[in-house]
Amino acid sequence: MTSGQKICACTAMQRDKTETPAADTCAVIVAGGSGERFGDPRGKQFVDLAGMPLICWSVLALDRAASVSSIVVVAPRCREDEMCETIADYLTLIRPLAIAPSGMTRQDSVRNGLACVPDGCTLVAVHDGARPLIRPEEVDAVCACVRADRRLAGAIAATPSTDTLKIAEGRLIVSTPDRSYYWSAQTPQVFRLPALIAAHDEAVRTGYLGTDDASLVEHAGGRVALVETGRDNIKVTLPEDLVIAEALLERRLIDEGCGFGEG
């Protein structure tokens, strides 16, 4: 066991009896933030969303993705036991689950999660725990994109921009770029494991701070593709985002039930 890693025994013993060779991906779910902007002392990871803590929806979707063979959740430091117990109270998982402690920055937290990836995984899918509406089939689509092209270091979930964008200096518009070039980056972001580890090492060496893992891989010279996913894969950052997520999730549960594409 890696230093700082906690294995959730109540879930780690449960394996998918129908696991296929395509299950080559470790999902690293980043949920170590303090949630100051959200304004809840518990942290947004633990707030209720449609009957479960918000983090549980991301864990459930990745657990049901056929590509995923194991899960690492990066939890707030000193709250690892609470995170493990919270997930175990609500979910019975197919995949083994481990908990890693967060770092000072999101980038550090991902590095801590990568240190807990088990042997045998060729891909790693980094996902924001604050994106609870990701679907298992969307995770699989991003993984499939990376597998299909050996020239790629990774691929990310994203949506084309539908807004007119403005480049400004202060409040003064300088130009209006062609929005067909612009995409909104989401997660999961899936990479070949050696490429992502090398990109993080290069970022440490050069002092580079990226805004997401794709930017680190790009900085290190890797090619990253875009995979169009649903616009409902929103990130819960502010309280009003939770209201939108609740409405979208309740609509989905009415339309599809809670099966979530069970494997």
Side-chain angles (χ1 to χ4, degrees), residues 222-233:
R223 299 178 67 184
V224 183
L226 297 162
V227 177
E228 185 171 355
T229 47
R231 295 189 180 280
D232 62 352
N233 184 25

Side-chain angles (χ1 to χ4, degrees), residues 33-260:
S34 62
E36 289 183 9
R37 282 182 292 175
F38 189 79
D40 191 303
R42 295 171 295 174
K44 63 186 175 186
Q45 310 93 314
F46 300 100
V47 301
D48 180 79
L49 173 62
M52 289 201 302
L54 185 145
I55 183 60
C56 289
W57 291 105
S58 295
V59 173
L60 179 62
L62 286 154
D63 184 64
R64 297 302 189 260
S67 297
V68 172
S69 59
S70 59
I71 299 172
V72 176
V73 176
V74 182
R77 189 172 292 273
C78 300
R79 299 182 70 184
E80 294 95 330
D81 287 343
E82 180 184 0
M83 179 66 77
C84 189
E85 291 166 4
T86 296
I87 294 170
D89 283 347
Y90 286 88
L91 300 176
T92 299
L93 301 179
I94 299 169
R95 315 301 186 191
L97 176 74
I99 307 293
S102 64
M104 292 294 294
T105 65
R106 184 188 185 279
Q107 202 160 300
D108 293 333
S109 292
V110 174
R111 282 179 63 84
N112 289 353
L114 291 176
C116 299
V117 173
D119 294 339
C121 293
T122 58
L123 302 180
V124 59
V126 181
H127 185 62
D128 289 327
R131 290 188 186 272
L133 279 83
I134 190 64
R135 298 171 183 266
E137 58 269 27
E138 292 170 338
V139 177
D140 290 330
V142 183
C143 292
C145 178
V146 181
R147 289 193 205 99
D149 189 344
R150 297 186 64 84
R151 297 169 299 175
L152 293 177
I156 71 170
T159 57
S161 176
T162 56
D163 291 327
T164 296
L165 303 174
K166 302 292 183 181
I167 296 175
E169 291 180 357
R171 297 296 180 90
L172 183 65
I173 295 172
V174 175
S175 64
T176 303
D178 181 351
R179 71 183 179 196
S180 67
Y181 288 101
Y182 291 86
W183 289 63
S184 297
Q186 302 175 350
T187 64
Q189 301 192 348
V190 179
F191 306 95
R192 302 188 191 278
L193 180 57
L196 185 56
I197 291 174
H200 274 269
D201 289 345
E202 176 68 7
V204 171
R205 187 185 68 81
T206 60
Y208 179 76
L209 185 62
T211 53
D212 64 359
D213 290 281
S215 63
L216 269 64
V217 174
E218 294 160 38
H219 177 257
R223 299 178 67 184
V224 183
L226 297 162
V227 177
E228 185 171 355
T229 47
R231 295 189 180 280
D232 62 352
N233 184 25
I234 65 171
K235 186 175 183 180
V236 175
T237 302
L238 301 171
E240 51 264 38
D241 300 328
L242 187 67
V243 176
I244 297 170
E246 182 102 23
L248 290 170
L249 187 53
E250 288 182 353
R251 181 74 264 170
R252 182 186 299 180
L253 292 173
I254 291 169
D255 291 343
E256 304 174 15
C258 58
F260 246 69

